[in-house]
Amino acid sequence: MTVVLLRRSKQGVLLGCRAEGHAGYAGAGFDIVCSAVTVLLRTAMQVVSGLPGVTMNSDCSERGNLSFEIGTDQLDESILDKLVFAGDFLETGLGSVAKEFPEYLKLKTVRN
């Protein structure tokens, strides 16, 4: 099972994410749950890392593990809105996969 911890601020700003484990839906290279999670997380990481004033510390050095933390420096409202949207994108996308495949993906969202 893959377990994803999504961290957001109380205002919904995406702060970071950690995904651990192999979904186990199918063998390596054929696991649609793992592929969906990977595509959602990597796309969000690429978009967010390109935003002005945003830094990202990420680690995907081991198969089955991916994490990132987002840093910000006095961002304007439009960048914060994009980070809220990125959080909504991940929570909606990962939530949809978790709902369809609950035995292979668990999503937990923490707001602090």
Side-chain angles (χ1 to χ4, degrees), residues 66-105:
L66 183 150
S67 64
F68 63 85
E69 296 293 323
I70 296 171
T72 58
D73 294 327
Q74 299 181 1
L75 299 177
D76 64 38
E77 196 69 28
S78 68
I79 300 299
L80 288 174
D81 288 345
K82 290 176 182 176
L83 290 173
V84 170
F85 181 82
D88 291 344
F89 170 82
L90 284 176
E91 195 165 351
T92 300
L94 293 167
S96 176
V97 176
K99 185 176 179 181
E100 188 169 348
F101 300 96
E103 60 275 19
Y104 301 104
L105 175 62

Side-chain angles (χ1 to χ4, degrees), residues 20-103:
E20 297 178 329
H22 294 283
Y25 179 83
F30 299 95
D31 194 321
I32 61 173
V33 176
C34 183
S35 294
V37 171
T38 301
V39 167
L40 287 165
L41 291 175
R42 287 184 179 242
T43 300
M45 287 172 58
Q46 289 173 351
V47 169
V48 168
S49 68
L51 295 174
V54 174
T55 58
M56 181 173 293
N57 183 15
S58 63
D59 181 13
C60 50
S61 58
E62 292 181 41
R63 291 183 62 87
N65 292 297
L66 183 150
S67 64
F68 63 85
E69 296 293 323
I70 296 171
T72 58
D73 294 327
Q74 299 181 1
L75 299 177
D76 64 38
E77 196 69 28
S78 68
I79 300 299
L80 288 174
D81 288 345
K82 290 176 182 176
L83 290 173
V84 170
F85 181 82
D88 291 344
F89 170 82
L90 284 176
E91 195 165 351
T92 300
L94 293 167
S96 176
V97 176
K99 185 176 179 181
E100 188 169 348
F101 300 96
E103 60 275 19

